[in-house]
Amino acid sequence: KNFVEVIKSRKLTDLKTPIEDGCQVAMNCCMGNIAQRVNKTIHWDSHALKFTDNQSNQYLTSEYHNSIAFPKV
């Protein structure tokens, strides 16, 4: 609720926690979901920004609908 209110008001000083904390929580939730899907312990390579096994890495991207493609950067 606080995050949405700050977006509407554009007053970053009203945030109750840094945005980076929310990002970390979301990443941990996604990693937990991926670990459950592959049914094993997973390991994150923070320098490469991917998992150490290909089975888990397949869940880091998804196919876009209607043949939308974004250029590789």
Side-chain angles (χ1 to χ4, degrees):
K1 181 178 176 183
N2 173 250
F3 180 72
V4 174
E5 290 171 354
V6 169
I7 290 174
K8 289 178 180 178
S9 71
R10 298 182 181 210
K11 295 180 183 175
L12 288 177
T13 55
D14 290 345
L15 273 176
K16 295 181 180 175
T17 188
I19 291 175
E20 292 81 8
D21 290 354
C23 178
Q24 188 65 41
V25 168
M27 285 177 52
N28 287 336
C29 290
C30 289
M31 288 179 180
N33 287 332
I34 291 170
Q36 187 174 14
R37 286 182 181 202
V38 298
N39 197 30
K40 64 181 179 181
T41 301
I42 58 176
H43 301 280
W44 181 252
D45 182 342
S46 60
H47 296 292
L49 298 177
K50 63 182 183 177
F51 296 106
T52 56
D53 68 285
N54 288 333
Q55 184 184 11
S56 300
N57 285 328
Q58 72 180 347
Y59 293 104
L60 293 178
T61 59
S62 61
E63 292 184 25
Y64 291 96
H65 299 287
N66 300 325
S67 302
I68 295 173
F70 291 97
K72 297 206 182 250
V73 179

